[in-house]
Amino acid sequence: MPPVPPPRTLVLGATGFLGRWLVLELLTRGERVAAGVRDTGGTAALRHWLREHDADTTALTTVTADLTRPGLGLAPEDDARLTEVRDVHNLAARYAFGLTRAQAEPPNVHGALHALRWSATRPRLRRLVHLSGYRVGRDPAPRYPLDERTTAALHSRLGAYEASKQLGDAAVRVTAPRLGVPLTTVNPSSVIGHSRTGEAGQYLGPAQLVRQLHRGRLPLLPGTRRTFLPVVTVDHLARFLAVVPDHDHDPVLAHTVLDPATPLLPDLIALLAAHLGVRPPRGLIPVPLVRRLPRALTGADPETLTFLSEDRYDTTSADRLATAAGIDHPPLTPALTRWATRLVEEGFGAA
């Protein structure tokens, strides 16, 4: 068997919920992919998952990478195997609420910069694609670094996870032009399961609302009639990420990706309650009031409340790219109900 040509795309965070779908999408498109994994267990799990999804892994390379270390912690032989890499997708982050600053910043801020600086060493680099979030990166002129007082205030106001994502986004947007790295930040809304199978694999964000709803622990829904918690299916987002380097050519770009068919939150919850055959919330409760109530009573993590907003988001650039690439959102209502069914079947990740 002839040797496999060196990879042209590196996916960091390849074993995560979105990362593995992106690896699958890239392999399906015939791309030669290197998957950054933390250990050999991650390699075995990723290859097993890809085989279960009928992927041809002939063009897949795996390397051990650690974003918290300079140079991604790559062994010299692995770094040399990645000389031909032209596209880097950094999907690696620690996604959890209730983190401390010391837990969140190394992967989400320092790690983002390590991925950027490593990308700058690739002689054939075409683009770094950095994953942020739809509540992040809306400042057209971000500042980084911030002084300690401002950083601490940000953590206090948003919580460690969301603050670290904002800081990581600002860090790469400020630093990429200085290093001459072509950069696209992709800011997706909450990611739900696969549109055809409902396959979940991620149990935070709106999945926790569905969990409370299914277990009869959502008597009142936080927010207003106009609260908007947008979602996007994992397969649409993977397809979008895969084509970004083919279509983006400006030095620094940003795209907000969400499904415009997402119902307002009360309607979304009512839809899922009817599908699951459970009682919908009896009414609404203002978010500021939820913040003042004991968590033991509300069951709401304070950090999740920042996402319950009436804000709307500009998706113009993402829509333009999707149109050029021939990518459409799949029908959302059946995707939502399949996802909710899978969440219940999987015990909301209890296993």
PDB file of all heavy atoms in Angstrom, residues 83-105:
ATOM      1  N   THR A  83       3.933  19.539   8.285  1.00  0.00           N
ATOM      2  CA  THR A  83       4.536  20.639   7.525  1.00  0.00           C
ATOM      3  C   THR A  83       3.637  21.106   6.389  1.00  0.00           C
ATOM      4  O   THR A  83       3.631  22.300   6.042  1.00  0.00           O
ATOM      5  CB  THR A  83       5.906  20.210   6.965  1.00  0.00           C
ATOM      6  OG1 THR A  83       6.739  19.799   8.051  1.00  0.00           O
ATOM      7  CG2 THR A  83       6.584  21.357   6.228  1.00  0.00           C
ATOM      8  N   GLU A  84       2.865  20.192   5.799  1.00  0.00           N
ATOM      9  CA  GLU A  84       2.035  20.532   4.644  1.00  0.00           C
ATOM     10  C   GLU A  84       0.666  21.087   5.036  1.00  0.00           C
ATOM     11  O   GLU A  84      -0.149  21.413   4.160  1.00  0.00           O
ATOM     12  CB  GLU A  84       1.827  19.295   3.767  1.00  0.00           C
ATOM     13  CG  GLU A  84       3.115  18.697   3.228  1.00  0.00           C
ATOM     14  CD  GLU A  84       3.810  19.648   2.266  1.00  0.00           C
ATOM     15  OE1 GLU A  84       3.124  20.217   1.400  1.00  0.00           O
ATOM     16  OE2 GLU A  84       5.038  19.824   2.396  1.00  0.00           O
ATOM     17  N   VAL A  85       0.390  21.208   6.329  1.00  0.00           N
ATOM     18  CA  VAL A  85      -0.921  21.688   6.761  1.00  0.00           C
ATOM     19  C   VAL A  85      -1.155  23.110   6.259  1.00  0.00           C
ATOM     20  O   VAL A  85      -0.317  23.991   6.439  1.00  0.00           O
ATOM     21  CB  VAL A  85      -1.035  21.635   8.301  1.00  0.00           C
ATOM     22  CG1 VAL A  85      -2.193  22.510   8.795  1.00  0.00           C
ATOM     23  CG2 VAL A  85      -1.239  20.201   8.760  1.00  0.00           C
ATOM     24  N   ARG A  86      -2.315  23.313   5.640  1.00  0.00           N
ATOM     25  CA  ARG A  86      -2.660  24.656   5.166  1.00  0.00           C
ATOM     26  C   ARG A  86      -3.867  25.238   5.886  1.00  0.00           C
ATOM     27  O   ARG A  86      -4.041  26.454   5.925  1.00  0.00           O
ATOM     28  CB  ARG A  86      -2.924  24.645   3.660  1.00  0.00           C
ATOM     29  CG  ARG A  86      -4.071  23.736   3.218  1.00  0.00           C
ATOM     30  CD  ARG A  86      -4.335  23.852   1.740  1.00  0.00           C
ATOM     31  NE  ARG A  86      -5.548  23.121   1.365  1.00  0.00           N
ATOM     32  CZ  ARG A  86      -6.167  23.277   0.202  1.00  0.00           C
ATOM     33  NH1 ARG A  86      -5.691  24.122  -0.699  1.00  0.00           N
ATOM     34  NH2 ARG A  86      -7.262  22.597  -0.066  1.00  0.00           N
ATOM     35  N   ASP A  87      -4.720  24.376   6.450  1.00  0.00           N
ATOM     36  CA  ASP A  87      -5.896  24.845   7.187  1.00  0.00           C
ATOM     37  C   ASP A  87      -5.866  24.277   8.599  1.00  0.00           C
ATOM     38  O   ASP A  87      -5.638  23.075   8.783  1.00  0.00           O
ATOM     39  CB  ASP A  87      -7.195  24.405   6.496  1.00  0.00           C
ATOM     40  CG  ASP A  87      -7.309  24.924   5.076  1.00  0.00           C
ATOM     41  OD1 ASP A  87      -6.810  26.031   4.814  1.00  0.00           O
ATOM     42  OD2 ASP A  87      -7.890  24.204   4.237  1.00  0.00           O
ATOM     43  N   VAL A  88      -6.103  25.137   9.588  1.00  0.00           N
ATOM     44  CA  VAL A  88      -6.158  24.715  10.982  1.00  0.00           C
ATOM     45  C   VAL A  88      -7.523  25.094  11.533  1.00  0.00           C
ATOM     46  O   VAL A  88      -7.940  26.262  11.443  1.00  0.00           O
ATOM     47  CB  VAL A  88      -5.053  25.384  11.827  1.00  0.00           C
ATOM     48  CG1 VAL A  88      -5.157  24.951  13.285  1.00  0.00           C
ATOM     49  CG2 VAL A  88      -3.674  25.056  11.262  1.00  0.00           C
ATOM     50  N   HIS A  89      -8.224  24.128  12.097  1.00  0.00           N
ATOM     51  CA  HIS A  89      -9.502  24.371  12.760  1.00  0.00           C
ATOM     52  C   HIS A  89      -9.285  24.188  14.251  1.00  0.00           C
ATOM     53  O   HIS A  89      -9.018  23.075  14.709  1.00  0.00           O
ATOM     54  CB  HIS A  89     -10.573  23.382  12.280  1.00  0.00           C
ATOM     55  CG  HIS A  89     -11.036  23.601  10.881  1.00  0.00           C
ATOM     56  ND1 HIS A  89     -12.112  24.398  10.563  1.00  0.00           N
ATOM     57  CD2 HIS A  89     -10.563  23.124   9.701  1.00  0.00           C
ATOM     58  CE1 HIS A  89     -12.294  24.404   9.249  1.00  0.00           C
ATOM     59  NE2 HIS A  89     -11.365  23.631   8.711  1.00  0.00           N
ATOM     60  N   ASN A  90      -9.412  25.265  15.005  1.00  0.00           N
ATOM     61  CA  ASN A  90      -9.284  25.147  16.457  1.00  0.00           C
ATOM     62  C   ASN A  90     -10.668  25.114  17.086  1.00  0.00           C
ATOM     63  O   ASN A  90     -11.312  26.142  17.292  1.00  0.00           O
ATOM     64  CB  ASN A  90      -8.472  26.293  17.053  1.00  0.00           C
ATOM     65  CG  ASN A  90      -8.323  26.131  18.554  1.00  0.00           C
ATOM     66  OD1 ASN A  90      -8.480  25.025  19.089  1.00  0.00           O
ATOM     67  ND2 ASN A  90      -8.047  27.210  19.247  1.00  0.00           N
ATOM     68  N   LEU A  91     -11.122  23.906  17.389  1.00  0.00           N
ATOM     69  CA  LEU A  91     -12.408  23.694  18.052  1.00  0.00           C
ATOM     70  C   LEU A  91     -12.200  23.290  19.509  1.00  0.00           C
ATOM     71  O   LEU A  91     -13.160  22.946  20.200  1.00  0.00           O
ATOM     72  CB  LEU A  91     -13.205  22.597  17.338  1.00  0.00           C
ATOM     73  CG  LEU A  91     -13.989  22.978  16.082  1.00  0.00           C
ATOM     74  CD1 LEU A  91     -13.125  23.636  15.018  1.00  0.00           C
ATOM     75  CD2 LEU A  91     -14.656  21.740  15.474  1.00  0.00           C
ATOM     76  N   ALA A  92     -10.958  23.298  19.951  1.00  0.00           N
ATOM     77  CA  ALA A  92     -10.648  22.824  21.296  1.00  0.00           C
ATOM     78  C   ALA A  92     -10.963  23.899  22.320  1.00  0.00           C
ATOM     79  O   ALA A  92     -10.588  25.061  22.158  1.00  0.00           O
ATOM     80  CB  ALA A  92      -9.177  22.433  21.389  1.00  0.00           C
ATOM     81  N   ALA A  93     -11.673  23.520  23.348  1.00  0.00           N
ATOM     82  CA  ALA A  93     -11.975  24.418  24.462  1.00  0.00           C
ATOM     83  C   ALA A  93     -12.508  23.571  25.603  1.00  0.00           C
ATOM     84  O   ALA A  93     -12.942  22.432  25.396  1.00  0.00           O
ATOM     85  CB  ALA A  93     -13.014  25.471  24.069  1.00  0.00           C
ATOM     86  N   ARG A  94     -12.477  24.131  26.771  1.00  0.00           N
ATOM     87  CA  ARG A  94     -13.130  23.480  27.908  1.00  0.00           C
ATOM     88  C   ARG A  94     -14.509  24.107  28.051  1.00  0.00           C
ATOM     89  O   ARG A  94     -14.629  25.285  28.402  1.00  0.00           O
ATOM     90  CB  ARG A  94     -12.312  23.646  29.181  1.00  0.00           C
ATOM     91  CG  ARG A  94     -12.897  22.830  30.332  1.00  0.00           C
ATOM     92  CD  ARG A  94     -11.959  22.678  31.485  1.00  0.00           C
ATOM     93  NE  ARG A  94     -12.568  21.839  32.526  1.00  0.00           N
ATOM     94  CZ  ARG A  94     -12.024  21.606  33.702  1.00  0.00           C
ATOM     95  NH1 ARG A  94     -10.845  22.120  34.002  1.00  0.00           N
ATOM     96  NH2 ARG A  94     -12.641  20.850  34.586  1.00  0.00           N
ATOM     97  N   TYR A  95     -15.528  23.326  27.749  1.00  0.00           N
ATOM     98  CA  TYR A  95     -16.903  23.820  27.744  1.00  0.00           C
ATOM     99  C   TYR A  95     -17.610  23.270  28.963  1.00  0.00           C
ATOM    100  O   TYR A  95     -18.001  22.105  29.003  1.00  0.00           O
ATOM    101  CB  TYR A  95     -17.604  23.382  26.456  1.00  0.00           C
ATOM    102  CG  TYR A  95     -19.056  23.817  26.342  1.00  0.00           C
ATOM    103  CD1 TYR A  95     -19.522  24.960  26.968  1.00  0.00           C
ATOM    104  CD2 TYR A  95     -19.951  23.075  25.578  1.00  0.00           C
ATOM    105  CE1 TYR A  95     -20.837  25.350  26.861  1.00  0.00           C
ATOM    106  CE2 TYR A  95     -21.282  23.462  25.450  1.00  0.00           C
ATOM    107  CZ  TYR A  95     -21.717  24.603  26.094  1.00  0.00           C
ATOM    108  OH  TYR A  95     -23.033  24.996  25.993  1.00  0.00           O
ATOM    109  N   ALA A  96     -17.755  24.103  29.963  1.00  0.00           N
ATOM    110  CA  ALA A  96     -18.459  23.701  31.177  1.00  0.00           C
ATOM    111  C   ALA A  96     -18.774  24.948  31.978  1.00  0.00           C
ATOM    112  O   ALA A  96     -18.034  25.943  31.913  1.00  0.00           O
ATOM    113  CB  ALA A  96     -17.617  22.743  32.019  1.00  0.00           C
ATOM    114  N   PHE A  97     -19.871  24.902  32.703  1.00  0.00           N
ATOM    115  CA  PHE A  97     -20.196  25.994  33.606  1.00  0.00           C
ATOM    116  C   PHE A  97     -19.722  25.633  35.013  1.00  0.00           C
ATOM    117  O   PHE A  97     -19.540  24.470  35.347  1.00  0.00           O
ATOM    118  CB  PHE A  97     -21.700  26.270  33.589  1.00  0.00           C
ATOM    119  CG  PHE A  97     -22.195  26.701  32.229  1.00  0.00           C
ATOM    120  CD1 PHE A  97     -23.155  25.964  31.558  1.00  0.00           C
ATOM    121  CD2 PHE A  97     -21.684  27.840  31.627  1.00  0.00           C
ATOM    122  CE1 PHE A  97     -23.602  26.355  30.304  1.00  0.00           C
ATOM    123  CE2 PHE A  97     -22.123  28.245  30.369  1.00  0.00           C
ATOM    124  CZ  PHE A  97     -23.079  27.492  29.710  1.00  0.00           C
ATOM    125  N   GLY A  98     -19.494  26.665  35.813  1.00  0.00           N
ATOM    126  CA  GLY A  98     -19.010  26.447  37.162  1.00  0.00           C
ATOM    127  C   GLY A  98     -17.512  26.299  37.259  1.00  0.00           C
ATOM    128  O   GLY A  98     -16.991  25.901  38.303  1.00  0.00           O
ATOM    129  N   LEU A  99     -16.782  26.607  36.175  1.00  0.00           N
ATOM    130  CA  LEU A  99     -15.334  26.536  36.209  1.00  0.00           C
ATOM    131  C   LEU A  99     -14.759  27.698  37.016  1.00  0.00           C
ATOM    132  O   LEU A  99     -15.387  28.736  37.177  1.00  0.00           O
ATOM    133  CB  LEU A  99     -14.756  26.594  34.792  1.00  0.00           C
ATOM    134  CG  LEU A  99     -15.134  25.484  33.811  1.00  0.00           C
ATOM    135  CD1 LEU A  99     -14.581  25.805  32.430  1.00  0.00           C
ATOM    136  CD2 LEU A  99     -14.628  24.141  34.298  1.00  0.00           C
ATOM    137  N   THR A 100     -13.530  27.519  37.471  1.00  0.00           N
ATOM    138  CA  THR A 100     -12.776  28.637  38.022  1.00  0.00           C
ATOM    139  C   THR A 100     -11.993  29.296  36.892  1.00  0.00           C
ATOM    140  O   THR A 100     -11.813  28.716  35.805  1.00  0.00           O
ATOM    141  CB  THR A 100     -11.801  28.173  39.099  1.00  0.00           C
ATOM    142  OG1 THR A 100     -10.805  27.333  38.496  1.00  0.00           O
ATOM    143  CG2 THR A 100     -12.521  27.391  40.201  1.00  0.00           C
ATOM    144  N   ARG A 101     -11.503  30.472  37.155  1.00  0.00           N
ATOM    145  CA  ARG A 101     -10.678  31.156  36.165  1.00  0.00           C
ATOM    146  C   ARG A 101      -9.434  30.333  35.835  1.00  0.00           C
ATOM    147  O   ARG A 101      -9.032  30.225  34.666  1.00  0.00           O
ATOM    148  CB  ARG A 101     -10.294  32.536  36.692  1.00  0.00           C
ATOM    149  CG  ARG A 101      -9.396  33.332  35.757  1.00  0.00           C
ATOM    150  CD  ARG A 101      -9.164  34.730  36.304  1.00  0.00           C
ATOM    151  NE  ARG A 101      -8.149  35.435  35.545  1.00  0.00           N
ATOM    152  CZ  ARG A 101      -7.723  36.659  35.830  1.00  0.00           C
ATOM    153  NH1 ARG A 101      -8.241  37.310  36.862  1.00  0.00           N
ATOM    154  NH2 ARG A 101      -6.794  37.226  35.081  1.00  0.00           N
ATOM    155  N   ALA A 102      -8.835  29.714  36.850  1.00  0.00           N
ATOM    156  CA  ALA A 102      -7.636  28.907  36.642  1.00  0.00           C
ATOM    157  C   ALA A 102      -7.909  27.684  35.776  1.00  0.00           C
ATOM    158  O   ALA A 102      -7.016  27.170  35.101  1.00  0.00           O
ATOM    159  CB  ALA A 102      -7.058  28.475  37.985  1.00  0.00           C
ATOM    160  N   GLN A 103      -9.143  27.202  35.775  1.00  0.00           N
ATOM    161  CA  GLN A 103      -9.506  26.066  34.938  1.00  0.00           C
ATOM    162  C   GLN A 103      -9.844  26.489  33.512  1.00  0.00           C
ATOM    163  O   GLN A 103      -9.562  25.765  32.553  1.00  0.00           O
ATOM    164  CB  GLN A 103     -10.710  25.337  35.536  1.00  0.00           C
ATOM    165  CG  GLN A 103     -10.427  24.627  36.846  1.00  0.00           C
ATOM    166  CD  GLN A 103     -11.701  24.125  37.508  1.00  0.00           C
ATOM    167  OE1 GLN A 103     -12.746  24.779  37.471  1.00  0.00           O
ATOM    168  NE2 GLN A 103     -11.623  22.943  38.127  1.00  0.00           N
ATOM    169  N   ALA A 104     -10.447  27.665  33.355  1.00  0.00           N
ATOM    170  CA  ALA A 104     -10.960  28.079  32.053  1.00  0.00           C
ATOM    171  C   ALA A 104      -9.919  28.738  31.168  1.00  0.00           C
ATOM    172  O   ALA A 104      -9.906  28.538  29.944  1.00  0.00           O
ATOM    173  CB  ALA A 104     -12.149  29.026  32.244  1.00  0.00           C
ATOM    174  N   GLU A 105      -9.045  29.551  31.739  1.00  0.00           N
ATOM    175  CA  GLU A 105      -8.152  30.349  30.904  1.00  0.00           C
ATOM    176  C   GLU A 105      -7.071  29.543  30.180  1.00  0.00           C
ATOM    177  O   GLU A 105      -6.776  29.824  29.018  1.00  0.00           O
ATOM    178  CB  GLU A 105      -7.528  31.483  31.720  1.00  0.00           C
ATOM    179  CG  GLU A 105      -8.502  32.611  31.998  1.00  0.00           C
ATOM    180  CD  GLU A 105      -7.819  33.908  32.401  1.00  0.00           C
ATOM    181  OE1 GLU A 105      -6.608  33.873  32.684  1.00  0.00           O
ATOM    182  OE2 GLU A 105      -8.505  34.949  32.427  1.00  0.00           O
TER     183      GLU A 105
END
